[in-house]
Amino acid sequence: FHQERVYTASIDGTVTRHDFNGIDTKIYLETNDWEKWYTGLDISFSGGMIVAGNNRGIVSLLSIEGEKIWDLKLHKAKCNFVQFSERQPWMMVTTSTGAGTGSVKVWDIRNISGKQSALAELQHDKAVNSAYFSPVSGDKLLTTDQHSQLRVYQAPNFNLVQTIPHPHRQFQHLTAIKACWHPLADIPFAGRYPDPKF
């Protein structure tokens, strides 16, 4: 981990490590196609891995040095969010916003072979903006859809524990709401849009 570096997934079709001093910039992935771009990115420094999802449902796993491990189509449509578990760096979650409905898939990157090899698939009525593993216990998953639900799932089977009604209906020109965990306790928090129905 270097404080003078930042990693980006971009609409220009690249996944890049930028160096604030301009000395050590590195392009990890490049589509060379304006119809394909990266929409989700996460790095596990402890596991030495980078994962990126693109607008076509393809997820790429690379070593921190840039060696491509695999490219797999894990969602039918746009894979907009990816995250490694901080507690189990071999565990990863991806979300999709395809066709107005959403799915969340939990993976063991050591045993992944395609769409059907997910440890769990959590269907949602609306597209899903994010899915975060709890940082303290590591055994919960918090999802945010694009309409009005936050959900909490419990590992190891990722059973639904709680659905929280929450007004945050997605609008085209606004940044998506993504509920997160408090860093010191397994308590979810999220911003909201004003809505007289709630």
Side-chain angles (χ1 to χ4, degrees):
F1 176 73
H2 296 277
Q3 291 183 346
E4 61 276 346
R5 292 180 181 168
V6 65
Y7 294 76
T8 61
S10 178
I11 197 166
D12 71 358
T14 62
V15 170
T16 308
R17 180 188 69 213
H18 301 275
D19 178 80
F20 293 132
N21 300 317
I23 299 169
D24 195 23
T25 296
K26 178 175 181 159
I27 295 175
Y28 286 92
L29 295 168
E30 190 169 22
T31 64
N32 294 311
D33 184 346
W34 285 99
E35 300 296 318
K36 297 177 187 169
W37 62 88
Y38 292 96
T39 55
L41 173 70
D42 196 27
I43 297 137
S44 171
F45 290 104
S46 64
M49 299 286 175
I50 297 172
V51 64
N54 78 14
N55 68 318
R56 301 291 175 99
I58 296 172
V59 177
S60 301
L61 183 71
L62 302 96
S63 71
I64 200 81
E65 293 80 27
E67 178 186 343
K68 192 176 286 187
I69 298 167
W70 47 253
D71 278 326
L72 294 170
K73 185 159 179 70
L74 300 182
H75 289 276
K76 282 192 289 188
K78 183 179 180 181
C79 176
N80 62 304
F81 184 88
V82 294
Q83 187 200 28
F84 288 109
S85 167
E86 291 179 30
R87 299 290 216 149
Q88 295 90 13
W90 50 266
M91 190 178 295
M92 171 184 81
V93 64
T94 60
T95 70
S96 172
T97 58
T101 62
S103 70
V104 175
K105 294 182 181 184
V106 182
W107 309 92
D108 178 343
I109 63 170
R110 303 169 300 183
N111 297 314
I112 195 166
S113 58
K115 286 183 198 180
Q116 310 312 329
S117 61
L119 296 175
E121 185 167 355
L122 314 171
Q123 291 298 326
H124 287 63
D125 298 329
K126 302 291 182 184
V128 181
N129 289 334
S130 63
Y132 288 103
F133 290 106
S134 55
V136 177
S137 67
D139 67 347
K140 293 177 187 64
L141 189 68
L142 173 64
T143 68
T144 308
D145 74 3
Q146 288 190 352
H147 193 264
S148 60
Q149 284 187 353
L150 309 180
R151 295 184 186 182
V152 179
Y153 294 88
Q154 177 72 50
N157 297 322
F158 295 96
N159 297 317
L160 180 62
V161 175
Q162 187 171 13
T163 300
I164 304 165
H166 186 270
H168 58 265
R169 189 168 62 89
Q170 181 75 28
F171 297 98
Q172 180 180 358
H173 301 293
L174 295 176
T175 301
I177 295 285
K178 295 179 180 181
C180 298
W181 294 102
H182 189 281
L184 303 177
D186 286 345
I187 300 169
F189 66 95
R192 63 173 281 190
Y193 300 124
D195 189 334
K197 295 177 185 174
F198 275 84

